[in-house]
Amino acid sequence: MPTTSKKRRSNWRIPPKLNAKVSRHTINEQKVFITDKETGGELVSRWMVNLQKRRTTTGEGTTFGLATGSSPVLVYENLVKAYNNGDFTTENLNTINLDEYANLEAGHKETYKQFMKKNLFDDIKLPESQFHIFGSNPHSNDEEDEEIQRINELLKTYPRHLQLLGIGPNGHIGFNEPGKTLTVDTGARVVKLAIATCEANSRFFDNDINAVPTHARTLGIADILAADSIVILAWGEAKARAIQKAITGPVDSLLPASFLQRHKNVAWVIDKEAASILFGKGMRITRSMARMNLYLQKQIPQANQ
Ligand code: GLP
């Protein structure tokens, strides 16, 4: 009798309705999906909804690792839509956030907790007991240690099935900044933010770099890599160099996102601008890319100027 090999279902299927708007590539063994921001938001939220549905049918709970910043906003908007039309449920759902500033008063509008409430949790009515995020303002070193410990325990209790990420223009993931001493040790940690990050994030603090917290808490690189699957999002040319190095360069602590090469199940979802130098000069235009180009020309003519 022939042996039937059960084909593993890919996490990264493109729904037919989005097919013409997304081009799919494998570069250095990593999956790269190039599309526009709106389609990317829809695509990734669909992956999340489907993953949760698959797990729910077998009676299993789902944990998402979530990120902040501007990159995932449209993913969250689409999750809210799916929730409102009954396609996405918070039953058996837990979330753990990637990072949080240190020393911002709880309730400050730029804490990542407030960001998550505003962009997702309030709209999907996710109870506080189901979302997990670092406290933003521990008052002593002991409190800080307890907070780190609490998140480390939660990582064990709720293994993540999908980790959402953004990437800093300097290649950071979470708040793991480039540096010679970056290791892949497990465990949440307190970090000092790179000047480049403070500059990039000052846009959320009235462009006043002095108002940006100097420190933050973040899951470590190894904690990120411990998720079953990872989706990393990036929009715009400012990310192009970091993305090219992360995908095609050596694994290097000076480019934290390059550690994603060590994970077997990563999907990069990026726009044309973020992918602009990824393929180098001899870029081969694939059929799906040509199709997507046509779509982009119609939808956003400026993308090709
Ligand atoms: C912050 C976050 C990161 C995020 C990055 C990118 O620094 N700590 O987790 O990936 O911003 O932000 P944006 O998506 O706004 O470009």
Side-chain angles (χ1 to χ4, degrees):
M1 215 169 82
T3 44
T4 51
S5 70
K6 230 187 184 178
K7 209 174 164 204
R8 202 167 154 257
R9 210 159 187 266
S10 164
N11 290 346
W12 316 126
R13 280 162 45 127
I14 304 172
K17 109 175 215 242
L18 301 182
N19 213 13
K21 303 180 186 178
V22 184
S23 76
R24 181 188 181 127
H25 309 263
T26 302
I27 306 167
N28 202 15
E29 293 181 34
Q30 292 178 82
K31 299 270 175 291
V32 181
F33 297 83
I34 304 177
T35 186
D36 60 283
K37 202 197 262 195
E38 286 70 26
T39 308
E42 208 178 328
L43 178 67
V44 175
S45 76
R46 184 53 30 217
W47 286 341
M48 295 170 83
V49 168
N50 288 348
L51 172 62
Q52 195 208 21
K53 275 189 182 159
R54 283 204 297 277
R55 296 188 59 81
T56 307
T57 51
T58 51
E60 296 167 298
T62 305
T63 302
F64 292 138
L66 298 181
T68 50
S70 48
S71 304
V73 168
L74 289 176
V75 174
Y76 298 149
E77 206 176 292
N78 280 282
L79 284 178
V80 172
K81 275 190 207 153
Y83 174 82
N84 288 336
N85 63 35
D87 207 23
F88 175 57
T89 155
T90 59
E91 226 173 278
N92 283 327
L93 176 72
N94 277 276
T95 68
I96 303 184
N97 261 82
L98 192 58
D99 49 14
E100 174 61 285
Y101 290 118
N103 311 106
L104 269 191
E105 282 307 320
H108 188 291
K109 73 174 183 32
E110 292 306 333
T111 61
Y112 287 165
K113 180 172 179 183
Q114 291 307 315
F115 173 98
M116 290 308 304
K117 282 170 70 65
K118 182 170 154 236
N119 287 284
L120 181 67
F121 297 157
D122 287 353
D123 288 333
I124 63 170
K125 301 181 184 57
L126 189 67
E128 290 247 356
S129 57
Q130 286 172 244
F131 66 78
H132 313 288
I133 188 162
F134 293 98
S136 59
N137 194 16
H139 291 98
S140 64
N141 288 345
D142 283 353
E143 253 183 63
E144 181 75 271
D145 290 347
E146 276 169 31
E147 196 51 16
I148 296 279
Q149 208 37 51
R150 182 178 74 85
I151 296 290
N152 283 335
E153 288 304 320
L154 283 164
L155 290 175
K156 289 185 212 146
T157 314
Y158 300 108
R160 284 145 299 145
H161 305 106
L162 183 145
Q163 174 69 58
L164 214 52
L165 291 179
I167 178 171
N170 65 354
H172 80 194
I173 46 177
F175 273 129
N176 293 285
E177 301 288 20
K180 290 199 176 75
T181 56
L182 187 74
T183 68
V184 287
D185 297 343
T186 45
R189 62 205 60 211
V190 182
V191 290
K192 184 167 169 26
L193 298 184
I195 302 283
T197 299
C198 296
E199 272 165 6
N201 290 5
S202 65
R203 69 191 194 277
F204 300 116
F205 293 85
D206 297 327
N207 292 316
D208 177 7
I209 193 170
N210 297 317
V212 182
T214 51
H215 289 74
R217 272 58 81 25
T218 183
L219 303 193
I221 296 282
D223 307 310
I224 292 172
L225 296 180
D228 286 354
S229 61
I230 299 175
V231 179
I232 177 159
L233 303 155
W235 318 118
E237 218 177 339
K239 310 284 176 79
R241 177 66 58 194
I243 289 173
Q244 184 217 26
K245 286 190 185 164
I247 296 180
T248 64
V251 175
D252 183 348
S253 58
L254 291 174
L255 210 293
S258 63
F259 281 91
L260 297 178
Q261 291 179 29
R262 298 210 173 142
H263 197 286
K264 292 269 176 287
N265 206 3
V266 176
W268 289 82
V269 180
I270 62 182
D271 64 6
K272 230 180 148 195
E273 289 70 26
S276 54
I277 52 174
L278 186 55
F279 297 87
K281 278 201 184 126
M283 174 175 163
R284 204 167 63 85
I285 304 285
T286 62
R287 212 185 285 171
S288 75
M289 190 153 200
R291 213 173 40 228
M292 185 205 60
N293 269 337
L294 253 175
Y295 160 76
L296 286 176
Q297 268 159 22
K298 281 192 217 135
Q299 298 298 312
I300 30 175
Q302 69 275 19
N304 290 296
Q305 280 164 17

